[in-house]
């Protein structure tokens, strides 16, 4: 991952500026962790989010749920939903892989997600 974009993403997740939402990149004024990255791209490239009245969802470059290619390319990520290792026991001996969107949607806070991004991406 591009180190400058990574630092911006981690800072944004920790800033308190973004309210955390689930299931979509953006839902009104709430964002998932991937939506925060899209919003950083939108600010840097002066690109607006689109609201699709037909499906009542916000989208970015046509994507409602995962990173569009333009954001992947800019950030240096090779997937629309990066996989990370998550401990499944208290002693951190056993791990499984989870996509970031699943962590976001199952109760991991932006702070916890930013720590994972910092260590693994």
């Amino acid at each position: 991952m591009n180190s400058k974009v990574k630092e911006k993403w981690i800072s944004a997740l920790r800033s308190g500026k973004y309210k955390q939402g689930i299931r979509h990149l953006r839902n009104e004024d709430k964002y998932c962790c991937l939506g925060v990255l899209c919003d950083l791209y939108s600010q840097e490239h002066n690109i607006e989010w689109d609201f699709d009245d037909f499906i009542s969802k916000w989208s970015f470059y046509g994507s409602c749920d995962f990173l569009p290619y333009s954001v992947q390319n800019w950030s240096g990520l090779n997937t629309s939903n990066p996989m990370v290792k998550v401990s499944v026991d208290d002693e951190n001996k056993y791990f499984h892989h989870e996509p970031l969107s699943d962590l976001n949607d199952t109760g991991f806070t932006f702070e916890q997600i930013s720590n994972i991004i910092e260590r693994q991406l």
Side-chain angles (χ1 to χ4, degrees):
M1 176 169 199
N2 178 299
S3 60
K4 290 180 183 178
V5 174
K6 178 179 175 177
E7 286 304 314
K8 288 180 187 179
W9 192 15
I10 290 167
S11 293
L13 289 170
R14 292 176 176 164
S15 71
K17 175 185 172 186
Y18 291 93
K19 294 179 188 175
Q20 191 169 3
I22 59 171
R23 291 194 206 102
H24 305 294
L25 293 173
R26 179 178 174 186
N27 189 356
E28 298 301 327
D29 65 339
K30 296 180 181 178
Y31 297 79
C32 83
C33 61
L34 300 177
V36 171
L37 187 59
C38 289
D39 201 54
L40 294 174
Y41 180 94
S42 77
Q43 293 170 32
E44 188 167 307
H45 295 88
N46 200 27
I47 306 291
E48 296 291 322
W49 286 81
D50 293 315
F51 187 78
D52 186 328
D53 290 319
F54 183 70
I55 59 173
S56 297
K57 290 183 185 177
W58 286 96
S59 67
F60 196 71
Y61 277 106
S63 181
C64 296
D65 303 318
F66 303 114
L67 298 175
Y69 180 74
S70 57
V71 178
Q72 290 176 56
N73 189 45
W74 169 73
S75 64
L77 293 169
N78 60 3
T79 180
S80 63
N81 194 6
M83 298 286 282
V84 293
K85 288 190 329 185
V86 180
S87 177
V88 295
D89 68 330
D90 292 336
E91 298 165 2
N92 292 320
K93 289 184 178 181
Y94 302 100
F95 295 88
H96 64 95
H97 288 86
E98 287 280 341
L100 281 177
S101 66
D102 286 2
L103 297 184
N104 185 90
D105 293 354
T106 58
F108 279 69
T109 66
F110 277 171
E111 181 67 30
Q112 291 169 315
I113 292 170
S114 68
N115 291 337
I116 291 168
I117 291 167
E118 190 170 48
R119 288 189 308 267
Q120 295 186 38
L121 298 180

